Amino acid sequence: MEYQKRSKRLDSEVSDSSVSQKISKKSKKIKKEKEHKIKNKVIENVVSFEDESDFEVVPQQNEINKKEAKLQAKTEKSRNYFKETKRNFTISVVVPSSIIDNAQSLELKTYLVGQIAKACGQFSVNEIIVFSNDRSSQMKNLPSDGNVTTTEFFVKNLEYIETPQYLRKALFPRHSALRYTGLTNPLEAPHHLKITEWCKYREGVVINRPVSYGKGSWVNIGLPKDCQVDIKIEEGTRVTVKLNENGFDNTKYYSGVVVSQTEPTDEFGYFWGYNVRVAQKFEDIVEQCPFEDGSYDLKIGVSENGETPEFIDYTKYSDFKHALVFFGGLEGIEGIIEQDERTKLSTVAIKKMFDLLVNPLPERGTRTIRTEENILVTLSSLYPKFRQFGAHLQN
């Protein structure tokens, strides 16, 4: 009996040890498979905007397969949409600040600004002009951290939305006007690059990092490694950088040169964000034109008394370079002009300043149309005409 018990105990011990050996072998096998997967892991959908090649999707691999990734990058080219849609004219949009007062809560006001920014981004608008016609000296619904006007709220949120995410913390200190910017939809413009996306150009901010005399400045460009640029610039300045590297090279740091904000658009057709300015009175809209030519050669007002865009003869405005589209809000252009006590011009004189008055929805089914809706509808009607009659690129 004792011998039988002892033998059973030995059998159980042997079986337990064999099971544990099987488990350990299986776990080792799983571990090896995981290591193999990690070793050969591919980061997919890495977007690359090359300077001399088309828009491409490049698989970014580890050190072992870098050569193979470069070969794949050359073969996996797709359509360069931005290069194909380059244009030689600009679009400026004028929006009155009073439209923000129509929204009831701070959340809705912020979301409204986001809708306007997104609508302008869809049509690559170069400039948003905020016509300051605030209904009160101080904006309501804001916590007390200083007097903030509706115009200031509008401008601050427009600039915040246009700024790439990796620069916002450095360029925008905490402010009650930006409390609900997280509710807005991201602009997703070409200059809003992710850490896995490569582009010859990147937006950056100058950082406080020691640099040798005559070696320029260090710039945070939203990548794990900083970039050294060619000139000395004040800390906290936003800059557009053209990188010397052609991809995610294995270097200690990136290097580049500071270029004009318009160069990515002029050279490759990328929509590189919009500029924001404020017009205190009606005359400032036209007189403070920031472009080199110094004037808008196609000025359009959106009015219920205007013509349908499809039936207008645009041939007299052929080869225009700078288009200006004025949205009047709920009051319309006529109402805003009558309420503006700062302008010295008469209503008739101001109307004559416009080359065209358009009504994109003469048969709309609702009593009113909101400005953010009107921007989308109007630019959808006008943009094909802009492409047809705007200044063309020289071959």
Side-chain angles (χ1 to χ4, degrees), residues 81 85-87 89 91 122-124 298 300 308-315 317-320 323 325 356 358 360 375-392:
Y81 173 78
T85 56
K86 280 178 69 175
R87 66 192 194 198
F89 60 87
I91 302 173
Q122 301 290 357
F123 296 94
S124 303
L298 177 57
I300 300 173
T308 306
E310 288 79 7
F311 304 118
I312 296 174
D313 181 15
Y314 296 89
T315 52
Y317 310 109
S318 293
D319 295 325
F320 73 87
V325 186
L356 298 171
V358 301
I375 291 173
L376 286 170
V377 173
T378 303
L379 292 182
S380 295
S381 300
L382 291 175
Y383 196 77
K385 302 297 181 182
F386 288 166
R387 295 293 299 183
Q388 183 179 355
F389 295 99
H392 293 85

Side-chain angles (χ1 to χ4, degrees), residues 148-358:
V148 178
T149 64
T150 304
T151 299
E152 291 169 345
F153 174 87
F154 201 170
V155 171
K156 191 176 284 290
N157 276 275
L158 281 174
E159 291 176 339
Y160 185 90
I161 294 166
E162 187 276 335
T163 304
Q165 290 86 335
Y166 57 87
L167 297 180
R168 290 173 179 173
K169 190 175 181 180
L171 296 174
F172 293 90
R174 293 189 67 177
H175 196 279
S176 58
L178 301 173
R179 187 174 181 179
Y180 294 108
T181 48
L183 296 174
T184 61
N185 295 315
L187 191 63
E188 292 287 0
H191 66 301
H192 284 217
L193 295 158
K194 299 178 176 63
I195 199 169
T196 55
E197 293 178 322
W198 177 261
C199 181
K200 192 71 177 175
Y201 297 92
R202 285 187 88 96
E203 289 295 289
V205 62
V206 180
I207 58 175
N208 183 15
R209 179 175 169 181
V211 63
S212 302
Y213 181 76
K215 293 290 185 180
S217 310
W218 286 102
V219 178
N220 170 21
I221 56 172
L223 294 176
K225 293 176 285 188
D226 295 327
C227 177
Q228 192 172 28
V229 295
D230 54 331
I231 56 176
K232 184 71 176 175
I233 308 173
E234 186 181 352
E235 180 190 350
T237 305
R238 178 177 166 178
V239 292
T240 303
V241 178
K242 182 179 182 181
L243 296 167
N244 296 327
E245 291 77 16
N246 292 319
F248 294 104
D249 295 340
N250 188 23
T251 56
K252 289 184 179 179
Y253 59 87
Y254 295 108
S255 62
V257 294
V258 176
V259 297
S260 168
Q261 184 190 358
T262 61
E263 184 172 314
T265 305
D266 297 338
E267 294 294 325
F268 301 103
Y270 304 148
F271 167 56
W272 213 248
Y274 51 75
N275 290 317
V276 184
R277 71 178 174 96
V278 177
Q280 295 294 341
K281 57 182 187 292
F282 192 86
E283 293 91 326
D284 294 344
I285 296 172
V286 177
E287 292 174 2
Q288 295 180 2
C289 177
F291 302 110
E292 291 181 3
D293 309 60
S295 64
Y296 301 100
D297 45 0
L298 177 57
K299 298 179 286 294
I300 300 173
V302 182
S303 168
E304 290 187 349
N305 300 318
E307 300 177 70
T308 306
E310 288 79 7
F311 304 118
I312 296 174
D313 181 15
Y314 296 89
T315 52
K316 63 176 76 172
Y317 310 109
S318 293
D319 295 325
F320 73 87
K321 296 200 74 175
H322 306 294
L324 176 79
V325 186
F326 191 110
F327 294 90
L330 289 175
E331 298 92 346
I333 293 176
E334 296 83 0
I336 284 179
I337 294 169
E338 290 173 3
Q339 293 172 14
D340 188 13
E341 299 175 354
R342 296 162 296 183
T343 183
K344 296 178 181 178
L345 298 173
S346 65
T347 305
V348 176
I350 289 175
K351 279 190 175 182
K352 286 183 179 178
M353 288 176 65
F354 292 106
D355 299 307
L356 298 171
L357 286 177
V358 301

Side-chain angles (χ1 to χ4, degrees), residues 23-204:
I23 292 169
S24 63
K25 283 181 181 178
K26 194 173 183 181
S27 62
K28 284 179 182 178
K29 188 178 179 182
I30 292 168
K31 193 175 180 181
K32 281 183 179 180
E33 286 176 356
K34 282 185 178 179
E35 287 175 356
H36 183 71
K37 283 180 182 179
I38 292 167
K39 193 175 182 181
N40 296 308
K41 186 177 179 181
V42 177
I43 302 173
E44 296 179 351
N45 297 328
V46 176
V47 180
S48 170
F49 301 90
E50 295 288 341
D51 57 335
E52 294 177 351
S53 62
D54 291 339
F55 177 94
E56 19 183 316
V57 177
V58 183
Q60 181 67 25
Q61 298 184 335
N62 61 358
E63 293 292 325
I64 298 170
N65 297 321
K66 265 192 173 179
K67 289 183 180 179
E68 188 181 341
K70 285 181 180 179
L71 291 172
Q72 287 181 355
K74 291 178 181 178
T75 56
E76 294 183 6
K77 292 183 180 180
S78 60
R79 180 185 172 196
N80 185 351
Y81 173 78
F82 299 105
K83 200 170 185 178
E84 292 174 6
T85 56
K86 280 178 69 175
R87 66 192 194 198
N88 201 28
F89 60 87
T90 67
I91 302 173
S92 298
V93 166
V94 185
V95 185
S97 61
S98 59
I99 65 169
I100 302 299
D101 295 323
N102 296 326
Q104 295 179 344
S105 65
L106 187 61
E107 295 94 324
L108 291 174
K109 293 176 192 291
T110 306
Y111 190 74
L112 173 58
V113 179
Q115 286 181 299
I116 292 169
K118 188 75 173 178
C120 291
Q122 301 290 357
F123 296 94
S124 303
V125 169
N126 304 89
E127 181 188 31
I128 300 178
I129 305 167
V130 178
F131 178 60
S132 182
N133 66 335
D134 301 349
R135 292 173 181 170
S136 59
S137 58
Q138 186 176 353
M139 189 174 167
K140 299 177 181 178
N141 303 330
L142 273 178
S144 57
D145 60 351
N147 295 332
V148 178
T149 64
T150 304
T151 299
E152 291 169 345
F153 174 87
F154 201 170
V155 171
K156 191 176 284 290
N157 276 275
L158 281 174
E159 291 176 339
Y160 185 90
I161 294 166
E162 187 276 335
T163 304
Q165 290 86 335
Y166 57 87
L167 297 180
R168 290 173 179 173
K169 190 175 181 180
L171 296 174
F172 293 90
R174 293 189 67 177
H175 196 279
S176 58
L178 301 173
R179 187 174 181 179
Y180 294 108
T181 48
L183 296 174
T184 61
N185 295 315
L187 191 63
E188 292 287 0
H191 66 301
H192 284 217
L193 295 158
K194 299 178 176 63
I195 199 169
T196 55
E197 293 178 322
W198 177 261
C199 181
K200 192 71 177 175
Y201 297 92
R202 285 187 88 96
E203 289 295 289

